[in-house]
Amino acid sequence: MLNLVLFGPPGAGKGTQAKLLAQKFNLKHVSTGELLRKEIAANTEIGIIAAQLIDKGEFAPDYIVIEMIKQVVTSNRSTVGFVFDGFPRNVDQAKKLDELLTENDSKVSVMLGLVVEKSQLVERLLKRGIESGRCDDMTAETIEHRIDIYDHVTAPIINYYEKQGKYHPISGMGTIEEIGEDLIEMVKKIK
Ligand code: AP5
Ligand code: MG
């Protein structure tokens, strides 16, 4: 299996590039943010718990996102591979993903880290906030809080994958097409 972890701070382009990579390599795209927003839209029990946290830029509880990932992984055993977008987001989630994939006789192939300047992240997300009305994109304060959590809780995962020789940083600045081409080239080298 080809299992890609697309990594980076909020607004780095994970969702945009994950869709492209999934299409190119015939992989199943898994975005925990999108799965949570679906639960919120459907007003489920999980959605109600998650909404209060997400709107403020806080994480959803680990047990919720891990269960979601477990369901996707176990119900897509015949896929060529996965592109994980927005998961894992802390070291516990990274360990859990390894466990789940091992149970499936598989493993993370590579972690592709999109590197983008903070001012660019804030600019992209404020723009999307205006266009989409997404709550956690509405104010610079909430966006900066999300970036702060990324720096303190999520970025340490880099070390976890680096130790396994799986971390590959890539510039996430430039056009969507240019970044997409760079990512595709990198995946082809790994395959
Ligand atoms: P999630 O939906 O994953 O949001 P995020 O990580 O904050 O990242 P974004 O989706 O905002 O950015 P992205 O990197 O995907 O960039 P995108 O391609 O969209 O999570 C939302 C929330 O859910 C979290 O805050 C948390 O509360 C919760 N959650 C999710 N996963 C969780 C987990 N594992 N554990 C606990 N809680 C979890 O691009 C952003 C914008 O920029 C778009 O408008 C796009 O068009 C534009 N853009 C993209 N690339 C470029 C480019 N090259 N140039 C110019 N604009 C660009
Ligand atoms: Mg996203």
Side-chain angles (χ1 to χ4, degrees):
M1 276 175 103
L2 176 65
N3 295 313
L4 313 176
V5 171
L6 206 47
F7 191 77
K14 300 183 295 294
T16 306
Q17 300 298 341
K19 285 190 188 87
L20 197 139
L21 291 172
Q23 206 173 13
K24 176 76 187 172
F25 296 104
N26 197 22
L27 307 171
K28 169 92 183 150
H29 174 203
V30 191
S31 157
T32 38
E34 276 179 18
L35 291 172
L36 288 163
R37 282 187 290 278
K38 274 189 194 151
E39 297 285 340
I40 294 169
N43 209 28
T44 62
E45 208 173 309
I46 286 174
I48 293 164
I49 298 169
Q52 297 161 2
L53 297 160
I54 291 180
D55 290 355
K56 289 188 288 186
E58 305 284 341
F59 281 1
D62 274 2
Y63 77 91
I64 289 181
V65 283
I66 288 167
E67 189 54 36
M68 281 176 159
I69 291 289
K70 196 173 177 178
Q71 282 195 14
V72 176
V73 170
T74 52
S75 59
N76 286 278
R77 286 190 197 276
S78 56
T79 183
V80 175
F82 295 96
V83 189
F84 296 99
D85 151 18
F87 184 92
R89 242 176 166 93
N90 59 36
V91 175
D92 282 347
Q93 291 183 9
K95 288 181 181 164
K96 198 69 203 177
L97 180 62
D98 279 349
E99 268 175 48
L100 278 170
L101 291 174
T102 305
E103 281 166 21
N104 235 21
D105 288 329
S106 191
K107 59 182 173 27
V108 168
S109 311
V110 65
M111 184 222 228
L112 301 161
L114 291 166
V115 182
V116 178
E117 282 167 16
K118 185 176 168 183
S119 59
Q120 175 74 221
L121 301 173
V122 178
E123 195 180 304
R124 287 181 189 177
L125 296 181
L126 281 174
K127 183 165 174 271
R128 185 176 61 189
I130 294 164
E131 289 163 0
S132 72
R134 195 172 133 176
C135 277
D136 56 346
D137 286 342
M138 295 308 273
T139 65
E141 202 185 7
T142 309
I143 292 169
E144 277 171 17
H145 183 53
R146 282 157 64 200
I147 296 172
D148 203 43
I149 295 178
Y150 168 83
D151 287 339
H152 291 98
V153 183
T154 307
I157 307 179
I158 290 175
N159 188 252
Y160 179 83
Y161 287 103
E162 215 164 28
K163 277 190 201 152
Q164 301 176 40
K166 290 182 180 174
Y167 175 61
H168 292 264
I170 193 163
S171 171
M173 306 280 286
T175 68
I176 290 170
E177 293 73 24
E178 284 164 356
I179 300 160
E181 280 169 24
D182 289 349
L183 285 167
I184 288 169
E185 281 313 304
M186 196 165 266
V187 174
K188 279 183 180 164
K189 276 188 210 155
I190 287 147
K191 265 183 87 178

